Amino acid sequence: PELEHVKTIFTIFDDGVLIQQKDISLYNNREFLKNPQIIISGKGIYNIYKRLLHYYNEDFDLKFKVEENKNTIVTITIPFLH
């Protein structure tokens, strides 16, 4: 079978400090790359994005959402490495 389009998906649930709902779209739309100073919750998200960019170029996805005001859910999608 063709593995070129197969992806590996990691989902992380964090029950610590929630990302503010208003910041979710900044992260999901990669707005923080244009102005890294808009990152409220530290440089971790920016550093993770840059590392994924280094290893996978643009062939990855990094999405954030807040679930019922109790969990931040981060989904990382990368190419399947065979």
Side-chain angles (χ1 to χ4, degrees):
E2 189 70 34
L3 293 178
E4 182 177 323
H5 300 290
V6 176
K7 304 288 183 183
T8 300
I9 301 171
F10 298 93
T11 303
I12 300 111
F13 292 82
D14 183 357
D15 63 355
V17 177
L18 295 175
I19 295 175
Q20 297 295 316
Q21 193 64 41
K22 65 181 180 58
D23 296 329
I24 295 288
S25 64
L26 296 175
Y27 297 138
N28 287 339
N29 297 326
R30 301 179 180 177
E31 292 293 319
F32 65 93
L33 294 174
K34 297 174 190 162
N35 183 4
Q37 295 163 335
I38 65 173
I39 295 178
I40 307 302
S41 55
K43 298 289 184 194
I45 293 170
Y46 181 78
N47 290 338
I48 290 168
Y49 179 85
K50 292 303 237 178
R51 188 164 298 197
L52 289 167
L53 188 62
H54 173 77
Y55 285 106
Y56 303 105
N57 295 310
E58 292 289 330
D59 192 19
F60 72 91
D61 197 26
L62 179 63
K63 292 293 182 190
F64 298 84
K65 78 177 193 178
V66 174
E67 175 187 64
E68 302 171 10
N69 290 324
K70 64 179 181 178
N71 291 313
T72 298
I73 302 170
V74 181
T75 304
I76 301 170
T77 305
I78 59 172
F80 177 74
L81 301 176
H82 46 82

